[in-house]
Amino acid sequence: MKPDRMPIVNPSDTATDLALYVHWPFCVSKCPYCDFNSHVRAEVDQQAWRSALLADLAYEASLLPGRRVGSVFFGGGTPSLMPPATVAAVLDAAAAAWGFTDGVEITLEANPSSVEAARFADLAAAGVNRVSLGLQSLDDEALHFLGRAHDVAEGLGALAVAQSVFARVSFDLIYARPGQTMAAWSDELTRALSFGTEHLSLYQLTVEPGTRFATEALAGRLVLPDGDAAADLFEATRAMTAAAGLPAYETSNHARPGAESRHNLTYWRYGDYAGIGPGAHGRRGGLATVRHRKPENWLGAVERNGHGAQSEDVLPPHDRATEALLMGLRLAEGIDLTRIAALAGGVAPVDRSAVVRLSALGLIERTGDWLRVTEAGALLLDAILPEVVLDAPVIAA
C-alpha cells in the first residue's frame, strides 16, 4: 500500500507517533570497516523471510496498540537487496496494524550499484519515499580501500536515478581516511554538496572491534589521521555544510531545515520505536527490546515463538533518563531537562557543577530548562558527555 492510500492521523498528534525499524541483514560482501549486523549468504529463502518479518511485526503491533507510525526505516545489511514485494508487504502490514501519519517518512538504505538502482522505481511503487545511498566516497581509490563494490561513476549514476525517482534523497560519505588531506576532503565535500541533495551523513572513519580494519590497525598497516587533523576535518565539514545551507543538526548528520531524518530524530529525541528483524533494537514504553542477532537464530525463533525477540528488559527510570540525555545532547537543538527529570522520576541525572564549568568555557549552553552542546563543544562531545551525564549506561540501539 502506498503512503497516499494509508490511514492518516493529524500530523500535529505526535505524542503517540511511533517509528518502525526493519533490519535486512544480508549484503553482497562485508566491508572492512563495518561492524553492523550484516551477513553474506549464498541463498536467501525470500518467502520464509517475508513471512518471518510479517510475524515479527505482528508481535510488536500486538504490544503497541493505538499508535500511529510516523516513520519507517529499512536498514541493514543492504535492504535495497530486498524484493520490492517484501517491502510492500511490510508496509501494508504496518499500515493495517497501526496506520501511518500524514506525510509518513519511509526510508530505505541502498547500495549505489546499477543493479540495485534498477529496483528504485519498484521500491518507490512499494511505498518508499526516501532513500539513503551508501556512496561513502567520491574517489575510486578510496572506494577500493573501503571495500566497496561500486566505483564513482556507478555511484553517481545510482544517485541520479534516485533523485529522479524519490522525492527525498540522502547519501553517506566517510572521511578522515588514512592520508586524506584537508584540500582533498574539501574538494570531495564541495562536489558532494553540488548534487543538491537535502541531507548528507558524513562520518569520520573509525576502527571498530572485530572488523578487518581492526586487524589491520593492530598490525600497524592502517593509520588514521591524528586527533588534531581529524578535528580540523570535522570543523571544516561543519563550516562547509552550514555555508551550503545544510547545517549539522546532529553530530554527523546535515540537512536543509525541514529535511532532517524524521526516523533518526525519533531515536535522538528518545521516542518509542519498534525494531524487527535480526539484531534489531527497540524502545517500547520503558522496555528495551533486542532481537536475536544471527539471521538463522532469528528465523528459528520466529518459527518457534511467532517473534524474534531475544530479550525485553524493563529500563529503570535513571537509565531511561541517561539514555535520553546521551542521545539528545548529540542534537544541535539539545534537550529539555524537565522531560529528562520526568523520565528519571525526580531529578535529571546531570552534574550541575560540570554544566556550570563547561558553560563558562563556551562548550555547553543552558537556557532555563533547555541544555545544548554549543558549536565549539560539538568537537569535544565524547569528552563532554561523561562529564555531564551521571552514571550513564551503554546505549545499544
Side-chain angles (χ1 to χ4, degrees):
M1 182 182 290
K2 293 185 69 175
D4 60 359
R5 303 202 305 272
M6 293 171 177
I8 62 173
V9 297
N10 190 318
S12 65
D13 183 19
T14 57
T16 61
D17 283 4
L18 178 72
L20 172 64
Y21 177 76
V22 183
H23 192 80
W24 183 259
F26 302 116
C27 285
V28 172
S29 60
K30 184 79 171 179
C31 296
Y33 57 85
C34 178
D35 68 337
F36 294 163
N37 187 29
S38 60
H39 305 265
V40 178
R41 296 290 186 267
E43 294 183 4
V44 175
D45 184 337
Q46 298 293 350
Q47 184 56 55
W49 273 82
R50 183 186 306 179
S51 297
L53 285 172
L54 294 179
D56 214 13
L57 187 151
Y59 172 76
E60 285 295 311
S62 71
L63 298 172
L64 286 164
R67 306 297 291 270
R68 290 293 184 269
V69 171
S71 68
V72 182
F73 196 101
F74 292 89
T78 308
S80 51
L81 295 174
M82 294 177 71
T86 299
V87 173
V90 169
L91 293 177
D92 280 350
W98 287 298
F100 284 3
T101 61
D102 190 15
V104 63
E105 174 190 275
I106 301 175
T107 302
L108 182 137
E109 291 181 332
N111 269 343
S113 75
S114 55
V115 172
E116 290 165 57
R119 299 184 180 192
F120 286 174
D122 288 338
L123 289 167
V128 175
N129 55 28
R130 182 177 182 271
V131 72
S132 177
L133 281 179
L135 287 184
Q136 310 307 3
S137 177
L138 299 177
D139 178 90
D140 280 332
E141 185 176 345
L143 287 172
H144 178 73
F145 162 73
L146 293 169
R148 304 298 289 171
H150 68 279
D151 60 16
V152 173
E154 187 175 28
L156 294 182
L159 176 60
V161 174
Q163 289 180 300
S164 71
V165 171
F166 299 103
R168 303 182 60 194
V169 177
S170 174
F171 63 86
D172 300 357
L173 293 178
I174 295 173
Y175 70 104
R177 307 184 298 259
Q180 187 176 38
T181 65
M182 177 67 74
W185 172 236
S186 295
D187 288 346
E188 189 171 351
L189 183 53
T190 297
R191 189 181 183 195
L193 289 164
S194 74
F195 298 122
T197 60
E198 64 172 18
H199 189 286
L200 291 175
S201 296
L202 307 171
Y203 302 106
Q204 290 202 359
L205 180 61
T206 55
V207 175
E208 303 295 344
T211 64
R212 181 158 63 82
F213 274 178
T215 302
E216 295 291 305
L218 188 64
R221 295 188 294 268
L222 175 65
V223 180
L224 300 184
D226 63 27
D228 288 342
D232 289 344
L233 291 167
F234 178 82
E235 291 180 323
T237 298
R238 292 173 76 93
M240 289 178 64
T241 55
L246 281 78
Y249 69 97
E250 187 270 345
T251 304
S252 301
N253 286 274
H254 310 253
R256 300 192 188 284
E260 299 86 356
S261 167
R262 182 188 299 184
H263 186 87
N264 287 335
L265 282 174
T266 298
Y267 299 154
W268 296 318
R269 290 173 175 166
Y270 208 63
D272 276 356
Y273 58 98
I276 67 169
H281 289 246
R283 292 294 182 269
R284 187 204 306 137
L287 289 179
T289 68
V290 182
R291 260 47 185 177
H292 288 276
R293 182 176 175 88
K294 187 177 178 181
E296 291 77 12
N297 292 350
W298 174 84
L299 197 61
V302 175
E303 291 170 351
R304 290 191 310 273
N305 307 320
H307 61 82
Q310 181 178 31
S311 63
E312 299 179 344
D313 298 322
V314 176
L315 286 170
H318 176 86
D319 286 1
R320 295 182 68 196
T322 52
E323 281 192 349
L325 276 167
L326 290 169
M327 300 297 277
L329 288 174
R330 297 179 62 86
L331 290 169
E333 69 185 21
I335 48 91
D336 179 2
L337 292 177
T338 302
R339 179 175 179 244
I340 299 299
L343 287 170
V347 179
V350 170
D351 188 323
R352 269 34 181 199
S353 63
V355 170
V356 170
R357 177 169 48 82
L358 294 170
S359 295
L361 295 172
L363 302 177
I364 274 188
E365 179 180 87
R366 180 170 181 178
T367 306
D369 284 329
W370 203 264
L371 186 69
R372 60 180 293 273
V373 175
T374 65
E375 183 66 22
L379 178 62
L380 303 170
L381 181 66
D382 287 344
I384 288 171
L385 291 177
E387 291 282 324
V388 171
V389 183
L390 295 172
D391 302 321
V394 176
I395 294 180

